Amino acid sequence: MSSTEQLAKRVIVHVGPHKTGSTAIQQCLASNQSPLNEAGISYLDGKRIHDAAMLLVKGAFDEAENLLKAVSQQISDTKAPTVILSQEDFCGDLPGRSRRRAIYPKLTKNLRIIARSLKPHEITFVFFLRDSDEWIKSCYHQHLKYRTLYSNLTTFEEHFGGPPIWEAILEKPKEAFGQNLVVLPYSKVPDAGVRALL
C-alpha cells in the first residue's frame, strides 16, 4: 500500500445549502467531538474552511483551491478514517447577499474544485433539499436581518425568477458526481440533519 493510499480518508462534505439547518448541524457536530472520535469520525471546522468557502463565493477559485489543499493535508493528519466538513457557502452565495440573480450558478464548479483539492480522499457531497417556496421565504427573512434591498417577498422572488427549481440546479452536479452527491430531504426536527448526515 502506498503512502497516498494510507493517507486517504472517507470525507463527507456537507455543502448545505443555506437555510436548511446547517448551523444546527455544525453546532451539534462541534459539541459532540468526543463521541464522534470514538466512532472513528472527525469533524473539522475553523477559519481555513470558512475562508475557502468565501473565496469560492467571490470567484477566487485559485486561492480557494490552495486553502483546500491545506485542508486536505489536515484531513490526512487526522487519525479518524472518516472526516466531516460542513460549510453552506460551498454552494455559493446566499440569495440576497449580493445582487446576483442566479441561485448557485457555480455549484458544479465549486464541487469540482473541492473534490480536486481534497485528493486523495474519497469525497461524498451531501445536499439537503427543502421545499422551494419555504426556502426562498427563509432566504428573504434572512436578508431582512441585514439588508433592505427588496421591499417585499414578491420583489425578492422576482429578482431570482421565482423559487428555485432544484431539479435544474442539481442536474449538472448529479451528472458530474453521480452517487458521490447525496441529496437528502430537509426536516425541521432539530437533530434530523445531523442524524441524516451521520
Side-chain angles (χ1 to χ4, degrees):
M1 183 179 287
S2 71
S3 59
T4 299
E5 289 171 332
Q6 290 172 342
L7 292 173
K9 310 279 185 175
R10 178 177 180 233
V11 182
I12 301 167
V13 183
H14 167 230
V15 298
H18 302 88
K19 311 313 297 177
T20 58
S22 299
T23 300
I25 288 172
Q26 292 154 8
Q27 289 175 344
C28 185
L29 291 170
S31 63
N32 286 280
Q33 294 273 26
S34 292
L36 286 172
N37 289 337
E38 289 174 9
I41 300 169
S42 177
Y43 168 57
L44 294 185
D45 61 354
K47 187 175 186 300
R48 183 180 285 162
I49 294 167
H50 174 267
D51 288 352
M54 294 312 299
L55 286 168
L56 290 174
V57 166
K58 295 174 183 176
F61 300 114
D62 291 341
E63 293 92 333
E65 189 161 352
N66 287 334
L67 268 186
L68 288 166
K69 285 178 180 176
V71 172
S72 181
Q73 184 58 56
Q74 188 179 353
I75 291 168
S76 294
D77 292 340
T78 63
K79 294 181 180 179
T82 299
V83 175
I84 297 176
L85 308 181
S86 177
Q87 179 50 251
E88 61 272 29
D89 286 316
F90 281 153
C91 274
D93 215 0
L94 170 69
R97 194 159 58 187
S98 71
R99 292 186 179 273
R100 292 175 182 163
R101 291 184 177 273
I103 294 174
Y104 303 141
K106 302 293 185 184
L107 177 59
T108 307
K109 182 170 185 174
N110 289 356
L111 299 188
R112 286 187 187 278
I113 289 170
I114 294 165
R116 181 171 67 240
S117 303
L118 297 185
K119 287 181 178 179
H121 307 295
E122 178 188 339
I123 310 301
T124 299
F125 293 105
V126 178
F127 186 101
F128 284 94
L129 202 60
R130 184 174 182 180
D131 175 79
S132 295
D133 291 324
E134 287 185 6
W135 186 81
I136 201 74
K137 287 177 185 175
S138 186
C139 289
Y140 174 65
H141 291 304
Q142 178 76 9
H143 164 78
L144 289 180
K145 292 180 182 178
Y146 304 103
R147 297 169 181 82
T148 55
L149 292 175
Y150 305 94
S151 58
N152 54 50
L153 175 61
T154 300
T155 57
F156 185 79
E157 287 184 337
E158 287 175 350
H159 179 82
F160 299 103
I165 301 172
W166 292 122
E167 292 80 5
I169 291 172
L170 291 172
E171 182 179 3
K172 288 184 179 179
K174 284 181 176 179
E175 287 177 2
F177 295 98
Q179 294 182 344
N180 291 325
L181 173 62
V182 178
V183 179
L184 300 173
Y186 164 75
S187 170
K188 291 182 179 179
V189 176
D191 64 349
V194 75
R195 287 182 179 277
L197 192 63
L198 294 173

